[in-house]
Each structure stands twice: as C-alpha cells, then as structure tokens.
Amino acid sequence: MRTSSFLTFLWVFAFSGLAHPYPDLPVRADFKFNGEALITVEIDPRCFEVDPEKEPYLVNGVYQALDKKDLAEMEKKANALIAKSIKFSFDPPLAEKPVFTYRYTTLADKPIDKKDQTPVVLQADWKFKIPLNTKTYQITALPEGKYSVQFINSILGQQKDLNVLFPKESSYKLDLSLVSRIRKAHQKNKAPR
C-alpha cells in the first residue's frame, strides 16, 4: 500500500462520518521595531484534497506516524498552495521572494497536545527584514486560489484589523511608516557624534 493511500485510509478511519468546517488560509504578520518581520501562513492539510470539507483533519496520532518523506511532501504541497493562493506586496516592492520554513502546531498556532485526536496543521514561516523605506504591506487572494485568506497583523505588538479576502480580493494597505520612523530614529541615535 502506498504511503498516501495508507494516510488516506487512516484519516478516513479516524474520522469517518464527521463533517468539518471548510478550511481557510490565515496569514499572520508581525512587524518589530527593528524591521524584523515574520509572516506565517497556516495550512490545514485538508486544503490539498479535492473536497476538503469531506476530509478528516490530520490528527496527532497520524502525524506522529509520518516520516520525513511524508512531511517533505506536505511542505512541497504547501509551497505550491501558497504560491497559487496568496500574493505578498510591499511598497516599495521587496527584492526577495518568500522562502518558508515549516513547523507543525494545532489550529491557531497553538502547541500540539498529547491527545491522538488533536488536529495538526502546518505553519509556513517567512522571516526577513523589511527595508528601511518600506511604507505598506498588502496581500491579495489570487484568482487561482479556492480558499478565503485572513489578513491578520501586528505592528510593534499592537493588533490591527482583521481582513477576510476571497479569491481576487486585495487587503487594505497596512501602514508600516511607524516601523520606518522608529528605525530611522534608532539609527540616528546610534550614529557617532
């Protein structure tokens, strides 16, 4: 039996007959005063399936049985899903493209507990430093995507308004000028006199 068939069998066996909510793609961004940025996309593995609403969650009991090859395959699918679903835009545009590293949590980026039935999701982290002159950040839910995208942000520890996007919609432009002003003031104070 192939690994993917075996996993499908385990998922169906674990949750046969139960309905699950349609997944979405939460995108959380955290911008620090020193220009460090962390953008995280949460991906429910059900998003890789044709009819995710009918699929069971990947649960901790099954996740613990996965090997590195299985995880690498899920991460490859996650990269493709992000590229097809979300466009990240900065003003002025960033020279670098998103490069994600992966970790596994339960829903809403909480640690996985020891229960076998705890849902497990992928967290795709993109860490980088925004250029000093960065004015805004915005995302677009691409037309090829089929999931709603949640635009969730924090600047200097302060939460900003949530924006839910459907395919073809763009978020509001998140103002990053405060981060730029603080960084410029900090650099000015550090300059030799």
Side-chain angles (χ1 to χ4, degrees):
M1 186 181 293
R2 290 190 7 222
T3 302
S4 62
S5 298
F6 177 68
L7 288 177
T8 301
F9 169 77
L10 283 177
W11 292 355
V12 170
F13 179 76
F15 280 101
S16 58
L18 296 178
H20 301 284
Y22 201 77
D24 50 21
L25 297 173
V27 180
R28 295 177 184 89
D30 186 23
F31 297 95
K32 307 278 188 202
F33 77 93
N34 60 0
E36 289 179 4
L38 171 61
I39 294 177
T40 301
V41 182
E42 181 173 295
I43 302 162
D44 181 335
R46 295 179 305 135
C47 291
F48 307 141
E49 303 301 328
V50 174
D51 191 352
E53 201 169 20
K54 291 183 180 175
E55 295 295 326
Y57 286 112
L58 169 62
V59 293
N60 191 34
V62 175
Y63 165 70
Q64 294 299 330
L66 298 178
D67 61 25
K68 288 184 179 181
K69 186 177 177 183
D70 295 324
L71 298 177
E73 183 62 27
M74 271 201 305
E75 292 166 13
K76 183 179 173 183
K77 289 179 181 179
N79 274 332
L81 179 69
I82 293 169
K84 181 173 104 171
S85 303
I86 306 164
K87 178 183 175 189
F88 302 91
S89 302
F90 289 86
D91 179 23
L94 289 184
E96 69 178 280
K97 301 294 179 207
V99 175
F100 294 98
T101 58
Y102 289 90
R103 58 194 170 84
Y104 295 82
T105 70
T106 192
L107 301 167
D109 203 4
K110 294 180 182 165
I112 302 170
D113 62 32
K114 294 182 181 182
K115 298 175 188 166
D116 281 346
Q117 298 305 313
T118 300
V120 176
V121 296
L122 294 90
Q123 301 292 343
D125 292 332
W126 174 26
K127 294 180 184 181
F128 60 101
K129 200 156 191 166
I130 58 172
L132 194 59
N133 62 341
T134 303
K135 297 173 189 160
T136 62
Y137 160 62
Q138 179 180 41
I139 63 174
T140 300
L142 296 172
E144 300 82 27
K146 65 178 189 177
Y147 301 104
S148 63
V149 177
Q150 297 177 359
F151 188 58
I152 307 165
N153 302 290
S154 173
I155 298 179
L156 310 176
Q158 182 181 2
Q159 294 294 318
K160 300 298 177 183
D161 292 338
L162 167 71
N163 199 185
V164 178
L165 311 171
F166 295 100
K168 300 182 184 179
E169 293 183 334
S170 294
S171 69
Y172 63 90
K173 291 184 178 182
L174 182 67
D175 185 359
L176 297 176
S177 60
L178 177 61
V179 176
S180 293
R181 286 196 306 272
I182 289 173
R183 286 180 68 198
K184 287 175 185 173
H186 184 67
Q187 285 184 347
K188 187 176 177 183
N189 290 339
K190 285 179 73 174
R193 296 181 188 248

